[in-house]
Amino acid sequence: MEDLLRTAEELAGRYGILYYEIRVTRVTASHLTMQNGQLEELGVNTEVGIGVRAFNGAWGFSSANDMSRARDAIETAMKIAKLSKGDSRIYLGDPVRDRAEIRPKRSFLDVDIEDKLALVKEIDSLLRGDGISNRSVYYGDGLKESFYFNSLGSEIETVVPRLRLSFSVTARGNGEMQSYWKSFGGTAGWELVERMDLSRWTSFVREKAISLLHAQSPPSGEFDIIIDPELTGVFIHEALGHAVEADSVKNGDSILAGKLGERIAVEGLTVVDDPTLPGKFGSYVYDDEGIKAKRVEIIKNGVLVNYLTDRETSALLGLEPNGHGRAQGYSYQPLVRMSNTYVEPGDWSFEEMVEEVKNGLYMIGDKGGEVDTANGTFTFGAKEGYIIENGEIKAQVRDVALSGGILDVLKNIRAIGNDLRIEFPGYCGKGQWVPVDDGGPHVLTRALVGGLR
Amino acid sequence: MIDELIGILERENVEWEIYWEKGRGGSFRIERERLERSQRKFHSGIGLRVGYNGKLGFSYITGLNHERKTLEEFVKRTVKLARVSEVPFSGFPTPSRVPRVDGLYDGRIDEIPFEEAHSLAGEFAAKMRELKDDSLTLSGSIALAVSNYGIANSNGIFFEGRGTGMSVSAYAVKRGERTGSGSYYQAYRSLQPVEELENAIKRSIEEAELSYRARKAEPYSGEILLEPEAFRAILGIFLENLFGDGVYYGRSRFSKPGENVAPEGLEVIDDATIPAGVGSFPFDGEGNPGERTVLVEDGVIRSFLLDETYARFLNMESTGNAVRDFRTMPHIGTSNVVVGAGRDNLEEFEGVVVKKVFGEHTANPVSGDFSLTVELGYIIKDGDVIPFRDNMLVGNAFGFLRTLNAIGRKVYRKGSFYSPRVLGIAKLV
């Protein structure tokens, strides 16, 4: 490493580079996939690589997965920056020297691959049942050791473990096919697996898939909807989160540009993005620009109070950098990203909320979403739902997507539950994939439901 | 070094396959009409599969310059994985003739000096500044890539290939009292002139202007014309059911070919042999020949998409659809998907047209239900264009295919997807 530090300094002098930062990472990972009792993949791999960014009013970037090319990567990034001279500014700040490790109770590196295979097999057998045509189980873990340094003199070593487990079934019957799934994950070790109630969640997934075979498609049109904590998570991620990523604000691509300090939601709504939550899937200690991760209140009592920023957008918008520059890996440039995004709880009980609804839907579970931040239209999928009539929960309905406008839906929130849960790990795609978590309490709002009826 | 690795593998009493890759890419990102991020990346590595006693082991190594000791350890590790693994091994392909597919490599992309590519991106940004007005914010990207790759196995397969690629995207946001946005994306095998970059900007601006004027349309149920990009989303839901692994594992609607899924005029082909096609290849990730595979003909399913493994599990023949990189085991993927031209003239269609949708990953591939947000659509009435957006396009993918009642004569290409406009029954909410 000493050599790399010296090489970078020497080359920066030669090319007249104002600022550079270098990440060297080693990821040790294993993954297993099984379908219908048949193992499809079992992999154990370690990968080392280097990513270099150099700034000269615009960015130059280079990476290599062959460490014998490390010097070339540094020189290439700097040459590009020299060639690219621009007039952007970035936040620099003071150098940081730190070593931070997220320590699991029991490292998955100490667990034999045979035990991981035994886990996958156990889940597979628990998923067996009449009417189930497909059982899928995925297990993956990875320890990321990263060394970050920059031209300011920052030297940061981080060690972050991440584990994810998910399983799904497809049921067939009644002339239909339906599937259901559940995921677990966190910045944690094998203890996450040991804590899981596998028999409860496997039966849950199986029963849901089978009951959906008999569920009708929901009606279509605009309805009052209660969304469960999992769906609240994807809703707030899509409807708000992407539009407050400051790079979209910078590029004229966010409907929330210029709205800091404005009331954009009902008074009771507070939304937070917090990478420092212990053990969550989207957690980290430092972002990929060497900035310490910070809890950010995005909306406070209905008022937009902050964007998520990186070194570049914080300088441009005159905001504090809050450690949201994240990259998929060493070969990617950091972008502004979310971490663990959630709605703070209110004081409604779920029962009170249901009583409020005359004619609406209770929608459950995250099937992903997407947003057009420029126009403020978003969509998100629910795994299942129930009709609500005159304050009572009635028939089950199938999976469906819902859609709305950011500014409408945030103002149409009528009740925020008291039952916060942030335990819905997933990956967010924005040209790069990063691990995130999200959640919230039950929320009552209004949205467009795309049912077949 | 590949020869050395093969030498080591041949001394082991195992079946083996190696896939190697060496490539580089340059990409340029323009934000607010200025070139802000440029990068040049290198990657190389080898993926090794070992079959031993009916079981499969896989691992990879990055880089192509290794000492003998590292290679020996790599082999040892993978053989060990095969010994403990319970992944069934059904055999690697045997050599067969691979087609010649022209136009996959353009020396100009391979040899362009980085400075020249950088200055092409600079021209792209300058064009944006020239074409913009105060209401518009423009961004976009250019990417160039070169890859050399090869596959060899213990049955005697040894193929090497190379390819180049270029992609261009442009994005326009129009702001005034309202907001509109438009985008354009295209991929190619050869270096594109500035005119194509200019075309990308103009098309994204046109779309932003249309989007700016768009409002939500009244709910509607009936005939809807889908432009190729919107049809791709719905056909994609159906196509997921044709992947051989899904069929084998009971995740597909279908268990064998022969099922009638659409009216006679519908033809869908997976074609790896299209000259200069961005999804084309002469051999797949396991060394099977790239093929033209008819998936749907006269509305009937004729074939699934198969690699060697699932073809053997299902007692079928590989269709050469193994895709991979050195980090991954081969898995089934499409090459170029081609919807055959129909007989109808849909160029002067009057009625409801959906141009772009989003949210297709929320659709349910096993039930086929979809509810997608309309990013942009328009109604043509007496020659007037009335744009709309933010409605949901709702239906069932299998149901929609059955209602196709016109397929256009003219085929458009978007990346590796080729399709005419199609007319079917769906609902706008």
Side-chain angles (χ1 to χ4, degrees), chain B residues 17-298:
Chain B
E17 172 201 83
I18 55 177
Y19 176 85
W20 64 96
E21 216 182 313
K22 182 177 184 176
R24 62 173 194 280
S27 70
F28 306 91
R29 167 116 195 106
I30 294 147
E31 297 182 342
R32 297 181 307 168
E33 305 94 32
R34 286 187 303 197
L35 176 54
E36 294 214 339
R37 288 165 194 260
S38 308
Q39 65 179 24
R40 183 169 168 84
K41 304 201 289 197
F42 303 87
H43 71 273
S44 59
I46 310 165
L48 169 63
R49 288 201 294 168
V50 164
Y52 175 78
N53 227 348
K55 303 293 178 205
L56 187 73
F58 170 78
S59 70
Y60 72 86
I61 189 169
T62 56
L64 288 180
N65 301 303
H66 297 286
E67 290 171 9
R68 185 167 183 95
K69 191 164 156 276
T70 313
L71 294 178
E72 280 172 349
E73 277 166 12
F74 177 40
V75 170
K76 212 169 124 191
R77 182 173 89 221
T78 316
V79 172
K80 191 181 157 202
L81 275 173
R83 285 177 198 272
V84 303
S85 168
E86 294 180 17
V87 178
F89 172 62
S90 54
F92 296 124
T94 48
S96 45
R97 240 181 99 82
V98 304
R100 188 192 153 97
V101 186
D102 289 328
L104 306 187
Y105 172 85
D106 179 0
R108 291 174 304 169
I109 290 182
D110 196 352
E111 285 147 25
I112 189 171
F114 186 79
E115 292 72 11
E116 245 174 68
H118 189 274
S119 96
L120 182 65
E123 280 183 61
F124 191 26
K127 228 1 140 199
M128 286 184 188
R129 292 193 291 273
E130 182 190 317
L131 293 170
K132 101 178 217 107
D133 63 39
D134 286 347
S135 70
L136 289 165
T137 307
L138 304 176
S139 54
S141 67
I142 297 179
L144 296 165
V146 189
S147 176
N148 290 274
Y149 53 95
I151 178 111
N153 71 21
S154 48
N155 294 336
I157 278 183
F158 190 105
F159 295 120
E160 286 183 285
R162 61 179 182 176
T164 51
M166 176 168 181
S167 67
V168 174
S169 74
Y171 183 67
V173 178
K174 183 180 172 70
R175 252 178 226 295
E177 282 164 18
R178 307 160 43 77
T179 306
S181 65
S183 63
Y184 178 84
Y185 171 85
Q186 189 59 286
Y188 326 83
R189 286 290 192 168
S190 59
L191 191 67
Q192 298 300 305
V194 178
E195 291 73 38
E196 179 54 16
L197 306 179
E198 186 170 347
N199 175 48
I201 303 168
K202 286 183 173 160
R203 298 275 293 273
S204 69
I205 294 175
E206 278 166 24
E207 206 178 282
E209 303 277 357
L210 210 55
S211 161
Y212 185 82
R213 290 200 286 125
R215 291 178 200 231
K216 199 182 262 186
E218 289 300 312
Y220 166 85
S221 190
E223 274 192 346
I224 296 181
L225 183 118
L226 299 187
E227 290 204 357
E229 278 174 89
F231 184 48
R232 178 186 207 162
I234 288 162
L235 188 70
I237 301 166
F238 162 76
L239 285 177
E240 275 199 54
N241 289 276
L242 299 190
F243 282 62
D245 51 343
V247 173
Y248 177 72
Y249 288 122
R251 264 190 293 112
S252 166
R253 300 287 284 189
F254 312 111
S255 53
K256 52 182 189 305
E259 215 161 312
N260 192 311
V261 291
E264 276 206 347
L266 184 72
E267 181 183 59
V268 184
I269 297 165
D270 179 89
D271 192 352
T273 67
I274 297 175
V278 294
S280 296
F281 45 78
F283 55 90
D284 77 354
E286 295 176 297
N288 274 317
E291 287 181 26
R292 180 179 187 275
T293 307
V294 178
L295 302 173
V296 177
E297 185 182 37
D298 296 331

Side-chain angles (χ1 to χ4, degrees), chain A residues 35-36 38-48 53 58-66 68-69 76 80 83-84 87-88 113-114 117 121 133-134 136 170 172 175-179 217 220-222 250-255 310 312 316 330-335 367-372 374-375 377-381 398-403 448-453, chain B residues 22 27 29 31-32 34-45 56-65 77 81 84-88 114-115 118 137 139 171 173 175 179-181 211 216 241 245-246 248-254 310 313 326-329 358-367 369-375 389-392 394-396 427 429:
Chain A
Q35 290 197 63
N36 293 354
Q38 184 168 325
L39 194 64
E40 278 181 293
E41 270 196 79
L42 174 149
V44 185
N45 284 290
T46 299
E47 181 165 341
V48 180
R53 280 214 302 182
W59 290 106
F61 178 83
S62 185
S63 73
N65 60 16
D66 180 348
S68 67
R69 290 193 60 102
T76 304
I80 296 172
L83 186 67
S84 301
D87 53 11
S88 293
I113 191 80
E114 285 84 357
L117 178 58
K121 281 183 183 171
S133 69
N134 177 269
S136 299
T170 302
R172 204 187 275 260
E176 299 279 351
M177 285 177 82
Q178 283 289 343
S179 42
S217 178
S220 58
E222 208 172 284
K250 169 194 161 191
N251 291 318
D253 194 17
S254 171
I255 195 164
D310 61 359
E312 188 181 341
L316 179 81
Y330 64 83
S331 61
Y332 294 86
Q333 302 185 54
L335 301 174
K367 277 187 68 186
E370 199 166 339
V371 61
D372 172 353
N375 299 316
T377 310
F378 65 88
T379 180
F380 59 101
R398 299 210 298 235
D399 59 314
V400 72
L402 302 103
S403 143
L448 186 60
V449 178
L452 284 170
R453 279 196 285 147
Chain B
K22 182 177 184 176
S27 70
R29 167 116 195 106
E31 297 182 342
R32 297 181 307 168
R34 286 187 303 197
L35 176 54
E36 294 214 339
R37 288 165 194 260
S38 308
Q39 65 179 24
R40 183 169 168 84
K41 304 201 289 197
F42 303 87
H43 71 273
S44 59
L56 187 73
F58 170 78
S59 70
Y60 72 86
I61 189 169
T62 56
L64 288 180
N65 301 303
R77 182 173 89 221
L81 275 173
V84 303
S85 168
E86 294 180 17
V87 178
F114 186 79
E115 292 72 11
H118 189 274
T137 307
S139 54
Y171 183 67
V173 178
R175 252 178 226 295
T179 306
S181 65
S211 161
K216 199 182 262 186
N241 289 276
D245 51 343
Y248 177 72
Y249 288 122
R251 264 190 293 112
S252 166
R253 300 287 284 189
F254 312 111
Y310 290 97
F313 286 159
F326 72 84
R327 285 188 183 83
T328 59
M329 297 238 292
F358 67 82
E360 53 262 41
H361 61 288
T362 68
N364 184 336
V366 296
S367 71
D369 288 354
F370 62 82
S371 28
L372 310 169
T373 302
V374 176
E375 192 176 327
R389 67 177 204 215
D390 300 343
N391 296 78
M392 290 184 102
V394 172
N396 179 283
K427 202 163 90 166
V429 176

Side-chain angles (χ1 to χ4, degrees), chain A residues 25 95 151 310:
Chain A
T25 65
S151 52
D310 61 359

Side-chain angles (χ1 to χ4, degrees), chain A residues 243-286:
Chain A
V244 298
E245 290 170 336
D247 51 350
S248 78
V249 175
K250 169 194 161 191
N251 291 318
D253 194 17
S254 171
I255 195 164
L256 299 177
K259 289 203 184 312
L260 273 190
E262 274 184 38
R263 172 174 300 281
I264 60 163
V266 292
E267 202 178 341
L269 188 75
T270 294
V271 181
V272 175
D273 185 277
D274 190 357
T276 72
L277 289 175
K280 297 298 173 196
F281 201 57
S283 299
Y284 50 89
V285 190
Y286 284 90

Side-chain angles (χ1 to χ4, degrees), chain A residues 77-299:
Chain A
M78 291 183 179
K79 274 187 182 166
I80 296 172
K82 184 162 191 253
L83 186 67
S84 301
K85 190 161 177 41
D87 53 11
S88 293
R89 289 179 309 119
I90 53 169
Y91 169 87
L92 293 174
D94 297 328
V96 176
R97 282 169 186 262
D98 197 4
R99 184 181 192 286
E101 179 170 358
I102 296 182
R103 270 212 189 83
K105 288 208 175 57
R106 184 174 172 203
S107 171
F108 41 70
L109 296 185
D110 297 337
V111 177
D112 290 338
I113 191 80
E114 285 84 357
D115 291 336
K116 294 173 187 174
L117 178 58
L119 169 76
V120 166
K121 281 183 183 171
E122 184 193 349
I123 296 171
D124 173 78
S125 68
L126 287 168
L127 290 171
R128 269 172 206 277
D130 289 345
I132 301 298
S133 69
N134 177 269
R135 315 181 298 278
S136 299
V137 188
Y138 169 84
Y139 170 89
D141 62 37
L143 184 76
K144 184 172 173 182
E145 299 164 273
S146 182
F147 178 68
Y148 168 97
F149 68 94
N150 66 22
S151 52
L152 305 169
S154 288
E155 288 180 28
I156 303 167
E157 241 183 293
T158 52
V159 183
V160 178
R162 252 192 201 89
L163 185 148
R164 185 171 145 91
L165 175 69
S166 65
F167 45 84
S168 72
V169 298
T170 302
R172 204 187 275 260
N174 193 31
E176 299 279 351
M177 285 177 82
Q178 283 289 343
S179 42
Y180 212 87
W181 62 97
K182 174 77 188 162
S183 298
F184 300 87
T187 41
W190 189 252
E191 69 276 6
L192 191 79
V193 171
E194 290 170 332
R195 278 204 307 264
M196 281 173 209
D197 186 346
L198 291 177
S199 92
R200 175 186 162 208
W201 287 110
T202 47
S203 346
F204 173 78
V205 161
R206 204 175 50 226
E207 283 158 19
K208 284 288 186 190
I210 287 175
S211 71
L212 279 173
L213 295 172
H214 301 275
Q216 277 191 300
S217 178
S220 58
E222 208 172 284
F223 286 97
D224 282 350
I225 53 161
I226 297 177
I227 50 181
D228 85 319
E230 182 171 350
L231 203 48
T232 298
V234 66
F235 156 71
I236 209 66
H237 177 104
E238 298 301 342
L240 180 74
H242 282 298
V244 298
E245 290 170 336
D247 51 350
S248 78
V249 175
K250 169 194 161 191
N251 291 318
D253 194 17
S254 171
I255 195 164
L256 299 177
K259 289 203 184 312
L260 273 190
E262 274 184 38
R263 172 174 300 281
I264 60 163
V266 292
E267 202 178 341
L269 188 75
T270 294
V271 181
V272 175
D273 185 277
D274 190 357
T276 72
L277 289 175
K280 297 298 173 196
F281 201 57
S283 299
Y284 50 89
V285 190
Y286 284 90
D287 75 358
D288 291 305
E289 297 189 312
I291 304 261
K292 187 127 191 174
K294 282 192 188 72
R295 176 181 191 271
V296 178
E297 280 181 337
I298 301 168
I299 292 181

